[in-house]
Amino acid sequence: MRILHLPDVVGGHATELARAERRQGLDSRSLNFYRSPYGFRADIELGLEGKGRIQKAFAHLQALAEFRRGFDVYHFNYGSSFLHFAKFGISHLDLPFVDPDAAKIFTYQGCDARQKYPTMHRNEALGSDSAACFEADCYDGVCNSGQLDKWRRRSIEKADRHAFHIFALNPDLLYFLPAEKSSFLPYCVDRPDLLPAPKVDFFSNGKLRIAHAPTQRGAKGSRYILEALDILEAKYPTQLEVDLIEGETREMAMARIAQADLFIDQTLVGWYGAVSVEAALMGVPSAVFINEEHLTFVPPEMARSIPFYRIRKHSLLADLEYFVRNREQVWHLSAAGLRYASAWHKSDSVARLTGSVYRRALKIDM
């Protein structure tokens, strides 16, 4: 079975999944049109960054011509495909030209499926404003006009017409995807060769060190997090140290997170990011907002065992102060996080899930 993951590795998920699928005997490769800013490398790198608009368009067409046949499964990541350009309102022009006998699988990973105003309306009906979509500066307000909501709906409808199955890496995305063919998939995070060994010593300088590493402040709720940490750092100057990590290489960011006693992921998205899993594999507990409403989309055993320290936007100061005053929790959370990451996010386990879908799509006996 030949599998091609494309056109973006998004956080390394696709590259790790392709490697794991190869370990299970599948001929799986990943293709990336643009180099990852975080250093994740695909098996095939087209390196289109820095090219002019016409050169990029030609390269996308050339890639379609070269790769549209020869694979049994096309696994499209970030809800994208060969000819898919949100900036120009173009979605999935290529799908009719990709081998009709090949299985088409899609993975959605965040704002490729999530829609601002439906998310706000759903939360408002529940009396909550704890969602990144309420933040006008989330990704510089790119969704504020509502046009991207409409475009995403059209794009999902197009993908649905061609897809055998659709995966969502964040559970809330399943509100927007066709229920009859969509399911939750855990992040594929299994890079022990690139991560420091799990820590065993905490409070190395006598203080609780809290790290926060936002890739986008608006989406993570960083202003609420940093406001709370400023207050706590002033209140507990001999007990607390804050490390804000921005503008670093991935390797340096991971090294600094590894030195933390608690990592704060986000307080708006409602689910944890792959970085929380990486922190768990390094023995560092994470603090995250988990939206209980979304847990119906997650395997019950997984939902019951989430080990991260729960925080909420409107109780953030009290939540974090409790942890400062009860910092001995790190030992329990560290061990639980490592068990959880190993149980649910190991690449071989995730590859078994995708492999079973590929076999169903191709009508191969299990």
Side-chain angles (χ1 to χ4, degrees), residues 3-24:
I3 302 140
L4 183 65
H5 293 267
L6 73 155
D8 196 324
V9 300
V10 188
H13 173 82
T15 54
E16 287 307 304
L17 186 51
R19 289 190 186 106
E21 289 170 352
R22 287 199 293 272
R23 288 196 297 271
Q24 296 187 10

Side-chain angles (χ1 to χ4, degrees), residues 203 208 322-333:
F203 323 124
L208 173 72
Y322 175 83
F323 199 92
V324 173
R325 295 167 65 92
N326 297 273
R327 66 185 194 176
E328 68 278 358
Q329 290 186 62
V330 296
W331 283 281
H332 167 70
L333 292 175

Side-chain angles (χ1 to χ4, degrees), residues 24-329:
Q24 296 187 10
L26 304 178
D27 183 0
S28 183
R29 289 188 283 169
S30 56
L31 172 121
N32 202 18
F33 279 67
Y34 301 88
R35 287 193 183 94
S36 165
Y38 308 112
F40 298 110
R41 299 300 299 270
D43 299 305
I44 306 167
E45 289 277 351
L46 298 187
L48 302 189
E49 61 283 343
K51 305 288 186 184
R53 184 180 298 179
I54 294 175
Q55 286 177 298
K56 288 178 181 178
F58 180 75
H60 279 260
L61 287 167
Q62 190 175 38
L64 173 62
E66 181 177 353
F67 295 106
R68 72 187 186 91
R69 293 190 180 276
F71 295 89
D72 303 296
V73 176
Y74 288 86
H75 194 145
F76 297 105
N77 288 283
Y78 202 67
S80 190
S81 57
F82 288 103
L83 303 178
H84 185 81
F85 310 103
K87 184 177 181 179
F88 303 107
I90 295 170
S91 63
H92 303 310
L93 287 183
D94 54 291
L95 292 182
F97 305 102
V98 177
D99 188 349
D101 295 323
K104 318 300 189 304
I105 308 295
F106 280 80
T107 291
Y108 286 84
Q109 296 172 261
C111 292
D112 47 348
R114 187 180 294 118
Q115 292 150 41
K116 179 181 177 74
Y117 291 102
T119 297
M120 292 172 66
H121 295 156
R122 187 177 66 250
N123 278 271
E124 286 167 344
L126 297 170
S128 171
D129 65 352
S130 293
C133 293
F134 284 96
E135 304 298 308
D137 64 339
C138 181
Y139 287 100
D140 300 320
V142 69
C143 299
N144 290 348
S145 72
Q147 291 305 305
L148 271 177
D149 284 359
K150 297 176 183 177
W151 181 81
R152 286 169 184 149
R153 285 194 289 272
R154 292 195 301 270
S155 296
I156 291 168
E157 288 170 3
K158 283 189 176 182
D160 182 25
R161 290 199 290 270
H162 294 270
F164 175 82
H165 193 81
I166 298 173
F167 290 115
L169 296 190
N170 281 239
D172 72 297
L173 306 186
L174 291 164
Y175 287 116
F176 306 105
L177 300 174
E180 67 281 359
K181 64 170 66 170
S182 302
S183 65
F184 171 76
L185 185 72
Y187 302 119
C188 192
V189 182
D190 187 10
R191 303 176 68 84
D193 56 320
L194 298 181
L195 296 175
K199 67 186 297 171
V200 292
D201 294 323
F202 292 87
F203 323 124
S204 58
N205 63 355
K207 295 183 179 182
L208 173 72
R209 179 180 292 176
I210 297 180
H212 179 51
T215 50
Q216 212 287 333
R217 287 193 178 199
K220 297 285 188 177
S222 295
R223 67 187 177 102
Y224 306 109
I225 293 168
L226 295 175
E227 284 171 8
L229 289 176
D230 282 346
I231 293 170
L232 292 174
E233 203 170 20
K235 186 173 182 180
Y236 299 97
T238 64
Q239 300 177 49
L240 178 62
E241 178 181 324
V242 175
D243 185 14
L244 176 62
I245 305 169
E246 292 181 300
E248 295 281 12
T249 64
R250 182 180 180 279
E251 289 74 15
M252 181 57 70
M254 289 296 105
R256 286 171 63 177
I257 292 171
Q259 296 300 311
D261 303 307
L262 178 70
F263 173 70
I264 300 181
D265 186 335
Q266 54 76 28
T267 189
L268 291 176
V269 177
W271 190 243
Y272 55 89
V275 66
S276 279
V277 184
E278 292 176 314
L281 290 170
M282 296 186 292
V284 178
S286 284
V288 300
F289 167 49
I290 300 292
N291 192 321
E292 302 289 331
E293 298 292 329
H294 304 166
L295 295 182
T296 56
F297 297 119
V298 176
E301 186 180 352
M302 184 182 192
R304 285 193 297 269
S305 61
I306 295 171
F308 304 124
Y309 182 66
R310 308 293 182 92
I311 57 176
R312 298 187 68 90
K313 170 185 169 183
H314 292 295
S315 60
L316 193 55
L317 182 59
D319 294 340
L320 293 177
E321 183 168 22
Y322 175 83
F323 199 92
V324 173
R325 295 167 65 92
N326 297 273
R327 66 185 194 176
E328 68 278 358
Q329 290 186 62

